[in-house]
Amino acid sequence: MRSEIRTALERSGLTAVDAADSAAAVELALQVPPDLILMDVDLPELDGFAACARIRETPELAYTPIVMLTGREDDDSVQNAYDSGATDFISKPINWKLLSHRIRYIMRATRVRRGLRESVRKNRALIRAIPDAMLVVDEGGKVRARHRGRDDSDLLDHCAGRDCSILDVLPGHSAAAWREQIGVVLASGNMAQSEDHIEHNGEHFFYETRMVPYTRDSVLVMLRDVSEKRRADAKVRRLAFFDTLTGLPNRQSFLIQGAEAIREARADGSSLSVLYFDLDNFKRINDSLGHSIGDALLRGIARRLETCVRRQDSVARHGVSNSAVQVARLGGDEFTVLLRDLASPDEAEKVAARLVEALSEPLNFKGQQFVITPSVGIASYPEDGEDIDTLLKNADMAMYGAKAQGRNRVSVFSGTMSVRSLERLDLEDSLRKAIRNGDLELHYQPKLCLRTRHVSGVEALLRWTHPDRGQVSPAKFIPIAEEAGLIVDLSQWVLEAACRQLKAWSGTPLEPVPVAINLSGKQFREADVDRTILTAVRAHGVDHSRLDLELTEGTLMHDVDAIVQMLTRLKDIGMSIAVDDFGTGYSSLSSLKRFPIDALKIDRSFVSEIGNAGNDRSICAAIIALAQSMDLKVIAEGVETREQLQHLEFLGCDEIQGFFFARPMPGDEVTAFLERQLEKNGDSSLLADVTAQL
C-alpha cells in the first residue's frame, strides 16, 4: 500500500518518502521536515490515532498537516482522527485519480493557514507594541472589545462592563461629538480624529482619538493618552511666556499681546498706551541686602501692580486677547502695563499716576518697611509709534526722562526724547572709544588732616573731555558706563592711571602720598580683584600700600562673607580701605563690624547742611561717634565753607576733602600743589594760606 501511494504521488510531481511504523515516521519527519504526513490508522505498535497525537507533541511538527487513511466508516473513528490532531482523512479504498489532487489541496490550505498564523502572530506583536488603547465600538456606543495598551488609559476604567457604552462615560460635548463621528465614519468609510478632555477624581485627562471603520456596524477607536504631554506643553508654554519669579507675563508674551492689541486698535480705530515702569535705585537693595530680599520685593511689586489696575479690567495671560490691561515683567526691576481701548491718551496718565501712588506705599518684609518708588514712561498708539517695538522703545525713553526729572514721576514721550536718546548713544560710543584710546584723565583732590594741617592723601577722580561736547560730568557718563557694561573697563583704566601717577612720584618727596581710587562694585565682586590690583601695581613698580581703596556701602553689602574674605586679603598686603558715601546705603552695625576697614567717609549730602537746623548735624555726629568707637578714621567729603569745617572739627572729624581746601586737579597741578605744601609744613597757618590762595 505504501509503495502504491508513493508511486501515485511521485507520478503527480510530488516527492514522497515512507516509513513502516510511527516511531520511524517521527524520526524521519524530524530529519527532513515534510509538507504533509499521510498516515494509516492501522499501524503496528501504535495505531494511527496514538501516533498522530505523539507527532503533535513534537514542537517541530505541531502544525504539519496530517491526513489519516482509514477504512473505518463509523463516526467515532472520524472524531478520533480529529481529536488526535489530524488535519483531514481519506477513506479506503483509495481513489487513485483524486489522491494527488486531494493532497495538493490540503497542502495549499495548510500554506494559507500558515500564512494566517504568521499574520496573526505579527499583528499580535504589533498590537502589543502600540501604546494606544483600542476599542471596538458599535454604532450605539457599546464597547465590543478593548485593548488597554501601554498607556493604561484611565478612560477604559469606566468601560469595564460588558454592556458598557462609551457615550455614557464621556462628558456631554465629547459624547455628542463621538456619536456624530461614529455615524460619519460608518457612512463614509473614512478616518475621523478628535481630542477629548475628561476630568476624573480632580485630575484632567486628555486623549487624542482616531476612528476607522471596523465592521459594517462598528468602528475601531484608537485612544492615545496625551495628558502628560499636555501638562509638559503647558509647563513649557509657561516658561516661555511667563516670568518664573513673579508669575507675570514676560517680555515675549507682552510683545505678542502688544502686536495683537495694535492690530485690533488699527482695525477699530481705537488707541492704546504702553506704560514702562522702572524701580528707582532698586539695584542698591540687591547690592546691599541681597537678591533674596530683592526678589521678595519684586514679587510684592508685581502683586500690587496686578491689584491696582482698573477694577473692571483683568490682568492678561497668554492666549487671552480681550483683556483691557496687561501687566508684564520685562526683566530685572522693569515692568510694563498695556492699556487698551482708551478714550484718549490722557487716560493713560491718570492710570500711571494712580499706579505710582500705589507702588510708593511702603512694602513690609520680615518686619522691615521698604519704600520703592517707580519712574514711569508713557508712549501711545498711534501718536508715538505704529508697532509694539517702537512703542516700547519710546516708553523706555520717556521713563528715562522721568528719572532725569527727579524720579518717582510720570513722563510722556515726546519727539525731543528721541533726540536725547541718540545723544546718549553717541556718548556711549564716544566713551567706548575714549577708554580704548586712553582719552580720559584723572584729577586728584587732596585730603587735609585736621590735626596736623598736612595733606594726608589724594583721591583720584575720573574726568572726560569729549572732543565736541567738552567736559562731561561723571554723573552723566558713569551711569552710561554701568548700563553699557563699560564700568569694569573704566575701573581698570583708573587703576592703571593711578599706578602711573604713583610711579611718577617714586623717588621724590611726594612718594609717601597715598592715592585713593574707587573700584566699581561689579569689578570688586570679581573673584580675582586682589590679583588684578597686585598685577597692576607690580607692572608699574609701585608699592601697593600707597594705593587706598574706597568702596560704597552697596558694594560691601552685596555678599558679606565673600567681601570680608576679599578685604582681608587686601588688608594683609598693606592696603587701606575706606567706606565711601557712608550713611546713604543699607549697612547694619552687625555687618559693618565684620569688615576690616580703616575709615568712613561722610557723604557730602550730610555735610552740606551741617550748619542748618535739622538732622544732618546729628547724623554727622553719630557717624563720627560710631567711627571713634570702632577705632576708625572719619573723612568728610564736600566741605566748601569755613562753617562746615568748624562744625566737623568740633565733632572730632579726622580729615576733610572739598573745595574749601582744594579742588580736584590734573596730575601736574596736584604735584605742584603738594610740593608747595611740603615747603609750608612747619607753618601753623597753612590752612589760612591755602584758603587765601584758592
Side-chain angles (χ1 to χ4, degrees):
M1 178 62 72
R2 293 200 311 275
S3 177
E4 292 275 351
I5 293 174
R6 185 174 66 248
T7 301
L9 295 175
E10 288 175 345
R11 284 175 180 167
S12 65
L14 298 172
T15 301
V17 295
D18 60 81
D21 56 48
S22 58
V26 172
E27 183 178 354
L28 186 60
L30 288 175
Q31 293 173 1
V32 183
D35 295 310
L36 181 141
I37 297 174
L38 191 60
M39 180 181 292
D40 202 306
V41 170
D42 298 315
L43 291 174
E45 297 184 12
L46 290 176
D47 63 12
F49 301 134
C52 183
R54 181 169 295 181
I55 289 174
R56 287 293 184 233
E57 293 173 356
T58 306
E60 295 84 352
L61 303 173
Y63 294 104
T64 301
I66 300 175
V67 178
M68 305 292 290
L69 289 173
T70 179
R72 304 175 186 180
E73 297 181 354
D74 57 289
D75 291 341
D76 289 341
S77 296
V78 174
Q79 188 61 45
N80 284 339
Y82 286 125
D83 289 344
S84 61
T87 306
D88 205 348
F89 67 93
I90 296 176
S91 300
K92 296 179 182 178
I94 298 173
N95 186 330
W96 298 104
K97 292 183 179 180
L98 296 179
L99 177 62
S100 61
H101 295 290
R102 183 76 178 274
I103 294 301
R104 288 182 183 278
Y105 175 81
I106 294 173
M107 291 174 63
R108 185 168 66 246
T110 299
R111 285 194 295 271
V112 172
R113 284 197 296 271
R114 186 182 299 121
L116 288 174
R117 283 198 303 272
E118 183 66 16
S119 178
V120 169
R121 185 186 66 80
K122 290 180 179 179
N123 287 339
R124 285 176 177 170
L126 183 62
I127 290 174
R128 284 196 299 271
I130 294 176
D132 301 345
M134 288 183 282
L135 301 173
V136 175
V137 181
D138 67 18
E139 54 189 348
K142 293 290 180 59
V143 178
R144 293 182 177 177
R146 65 177 188 161
H147 166 70
R148 292 196 65 89
R150 289 207 307 257
D151 282 348
D152 196 24
S153 172
D154 186 80
L155 181 61
L156 296 185
D157 291 340
H158 303 284
C159 299
R162 191 179 181 120
D163 296 326
C164 167
S165 172
I166 188 68
L167 303 180
D168 293 336
V169 301
L170 291 171
H173 63 282
S174 294
W178 271 52
R179 185 177 288 107
E180 181 180 352
Q181 280 186 195
I182 291 172
V184 170
V185 169
L186 290 175
S188 66
N190 297 323
M191 184 182 73
Q193 292 180 279
S194 64
E195 183 170 308
D196 299 291
H197 171 215
I198 296 177
E199 185 175 358
H200 177 59
N201 292 334
E203 289 192 68
H204 293 268
F205 297 90
F206 298 87
Y207 298 93
E208 288 180 353
T209 306
R210 293 183 298 281
M211 289 185 189
V212 294
Y214 189 69
T215 64
R216 183 179 57 80
D217 62 346
S218 66
V219 295
L220 175 66
V221 182
M222 300 185 71
L223 293 170
R224 177 166 296 178
D225 189 341
V226 293
S227 304
E228 286 301 321
K229 182 177 182 297
R230 290 290 178 271
R231 295 185 190 107
D233 289 346
K235 185 176 182 180
V236 170
R237 191 178 300 111
R238 184 157 193 86
L239 290 174
F241 294 106
F242 288 85
D243 174 50
T244 55
L245 176 65
T246 64
L248 291 176
N250 60 14
R251 177 185 289 271
Q252 181 69 13
S253 177
F254 178 81
L255 292 176
I256 293 173
Q257 290 294 315
E260 181 182 348
I262 288 178
R263 285 194 296 269
E264 293 176 356
R266 187 178 293 118
D268 59 24
S270 62
S271 63
L272 59 85
S273 293
V274 171
L275 278 55
Y276 199 116
F277 286 74
D278 183 88
L279 306 181
D280 299 330
N281 297 317
F282 192 80
K283 182 177 182 295
R284 182 180 296 176
I285 291 179
N286 277 334
D287 290 345
S288 301
L289 303 180
H291 285 276
S292 59
I293 293 179
D295 289 349
L297 295 177
L298 286 174
R299 284 190 289 267
I301 291 291
R303 298 291 80 75
R304 189 170 287 183
L305 270 175
E306 285 184 302
T307 56
C308 289
V309 295
R310 291 174 297 182
R311 184 178 179 184
Q312 65 269 27
D313 296 325
S314 60
V315 177
R317 288 292 184 263
H318 180 66
V320 179
S321 61
N322 59 353
S323 178
V325 177
Q326 176 176 346
V327 181
R329 182 188 179 211
L330 300 183
D333 58 351
E334 296 177 332
F335 296 83
T336 189
V337 176
L338 177 66
L339 302 176
R340 307 187 189 192
D341 304 323
L342 297 176
S344 71
D346 293 342
E347 272 192 65
E349 291 187 60
K350 296 175 184 177
V351 174
R354 186 166 69 251
L355 291 175
V356 168
E357 181 181 358
L359 293 183
S360 300
E361 291 292 321
L363 278 168
N364 294 307
F365 181 72
K366 291 187 176 180
Q368 188 173 356
Q369 284 194 335
F370 297 87
V371 176
I372 301 173
T373 60
S375 295
V376 185
I378 301 176
S380 300
Y381 169 84
E383 296 87 354
D384 304 324
E386 296 190 352
D387 59 78
I388 189 61
D389 291 317
T390 302
L391 286 179
L392 198 60
K393 179 192 70 175
N394 291 342
D396 188 13
M397 284 188 205
M399 180 271 294
Y400 276 104
K403 286 186 178 294
Q405 296 169 28
R407 305 178 189 273
N408 191 27
R409 63 189 66 233
V410 177
S411 176
V412 179
F413 175 78
S414 65
T416 57
M417 290 180 178
S418 182
V419 175
R420 288 199 296 271
S421 178
L422 292 175
E423 290 177 352
R424 183 185 176 281
L425 288 175
D426 178 67
L427 272 179
E428 179 184 326
D429 183 61
S430 298
L431 180 58
R432 204 179 294 273
K433 293 177 181 176
I435 296 173
R436 185 170 59 248
N437 299 331
D439 296 336
L440 300 167
E441 187 178 15
L442 281 188
H443 284 199
Y444 301 88
Q445 186 171 37
K447 294 181 281 188
L448 180 72
C449 175
L450 294 181
R451 180 178 58 80
T452 64
R453 291 301 199 266
H454 293 168
V455 173
S456 57
V458 296
E459 179 182 2
L461 301 170
L462 188 59
R463 295 293 183 264
W464 177 31
T465 303
H466 191 279
D468 300 320
R469 304 173 188 272
Q471 283 289 333
V472 182
S473 169
K476 190 169 187 177
F477 71 79
I478 292 296
I480 292 177
E482 289 178 341
E483 293 169 12
L486 300 173
I487 194 65
V488 172
D489 293 338
L490 207 57
S491 296
Q492 186 66 30
W493 189 94
V494 169
L495 174 61
E496 298 285 344
C499 288
R500 286 194 293 271
Q501 183 62 66
L502 287 171
K503 180 63 176 178
W505 287 343
S506 295
T508 73
L510 300 181
E511 184 170 4
V513 177
V515 174
I517 62 171
N518 289 274
L519 292 183
S520 70
K522 184 176 181 180
Q523 184 180 24
F524 195 81
R525 287 192 292 273
E526 293 179 356
D528 59 349
V529 68
D530 52 341
R531 188 181 309 167
T532 300
I533 294 173
L534 283 174
T535 299
V537 296
R538 287 171 181 169
H540 293 278
V542 298
D543 185 357
H544 43 67
S545 64
R546 295 170 58 198
L547 196 65
D548 295 344
L549 295 182
E550 295 187 359
L551 310 169
T552 63
E553 285 183 272
T555 300
L556 290 176
M557 299 306 296
H558 180 75
D559 185 346
V560 173
D561 292 334
I563 296 298
V564 167
Q565 294 178 17
M566 179 66 69
L567 293 181
T568 300
R569 291 198 295 270
L570 293 172
K571 283 285 292 181
D572 289 343
I573 63 175
M575 300 190 73
S576 177
I577 301 166
V579 180
D580 197 14
D581 300 334
F582 187 76
T584 61
Y586 293 90
S587 61
S588 62
L589 294 180
S590 61
S591 298
L592 187 63
K593 67 183 182 181
R594 296 180 57 191
F595 298 114
I597 57 179
D598 301 283
L600 300 179
K601 296 190 73 173
I602 303 176
D603 187 68
R604 64 180 65 249
S605 62
F606 301 125
V607 173
S608 62
E609 300 295 330
I610 193 172
N612 299 333
N615 295 325
D616 288 343
R617 179 182 172 86
S618 300
I619 292 174
C620 290
I623 294 174
I624 292 171
L626 171 65
Q628 291 172 345
S629 68
M630 299 178 67
D631 198 24
L632 300 176
K633 184 168 59 178
V634 184
I635 306 167
E637 295 181 300
V639 179
E640 298 182 356
T641 68
R642 183 179 296 276
E643 182 184 17
Q644 292 169 351
L645 170 67
Q646 290 171 344
H647 281 292
L648 291 166
E649 194 166 19
F650 176 78
L651 293 173
C653 184
D654 298 302
E655 297 179 4
I656 64 165
Q657 179 181 339
F659 287 2
F660 182 69
F661 172 51
R663 295 175 180 272
M665 296 171 257
D668 54 349
E669 292 183 24
V670 78
T671 298
F673 176 87
L674 294 175
E675 288 172 344
R676 288 197 300 271
Q677 303 316 306
L678 284 175
E679 296 174 1
K680 299 178 181 180
N681 277 347
D683 190 347
S684 61
S685 62
L686 172 62
L687 182 60
D689 291 345
V690 174
T691 304
Q693 179 181 337
L694 294 177

